[in-house]
Amino acid sequence: MLDGDRDARRPGAHSFGPLAVAEYAEQMLLDLTVHEWDLARGAGLAEDLDPAGVDRALDYLRGDPVMLTGPGLFGEPVAAASPASRDELLARLGRRVG
């Protein structure tokens, strides 16, 4: 059984080394949110994203996470198409909207 905060801070074993479970969860939310958009764009489907997921992922990015310093993880930031949270999130990760 999980014990909230203590378990969230506990390091988990990952292919790149140990990382707190909570940090990994933030990374996965960011990754899944952005790749949802990538897949929708590629398939010609609606490119809407869950606003709560976008806001959470954007807050994580604004905290300058260590994961973004790795080579080739995401594209270089581009200008956002609008001030909308979704567009800022995507632009920070090199996605061009529009």
Side-chain angles (χ1 to χ4, degrees), residues 11 20 30-31 35 41 50 52 54 64-65 73 77 79-80 87 89 93 96:
L30 171 66
D31 191 60
H35 290 311
R41 164 68 53 108
D50 177 71
V54 167
D64 196 28
L73 291 175
D87 292 352
L89 173 70
L93 300 175
R96 295 184 190 281

Side-chain angles (χ1 to χ4, degrees), residues 69-87:
T69 61
L73 291 175
F74 294 103
E76 290 295 317
V78 297
S82 80
S85 295
R86 181 199 77 148
D87 292 352

Side-chain angles (χ1 to χ4, degrees), residues 43-56:
L45 301 173
E47 298 172 8
D48 300 327
L49 298 174
D50 177 71
V54 167
D55 289 343
R56 180 83 184 230

Side-chain angles (χ1 to χ4, degrees), residues 8 40 59 68-69 94:
D59 285 345
L68 292 180
T69 61

Side-chain angles (χ1 to χ4, degrees), residues 2 5 8 11-12 19 24-27 30 37-38 45 50 55 64 66 82-83 88-89 94:
L2 296 177
D5 289 341
L19 185 68
Y24 187 67
E26 296 290 349
Q27 289 180 6
L30 171 66
W37 182 85
D38 291 338
L45 301 173
D50 177 71
D55 289 343
D64 196 28
V66 171
S82 80
E88 180 184 345
L89 173 70

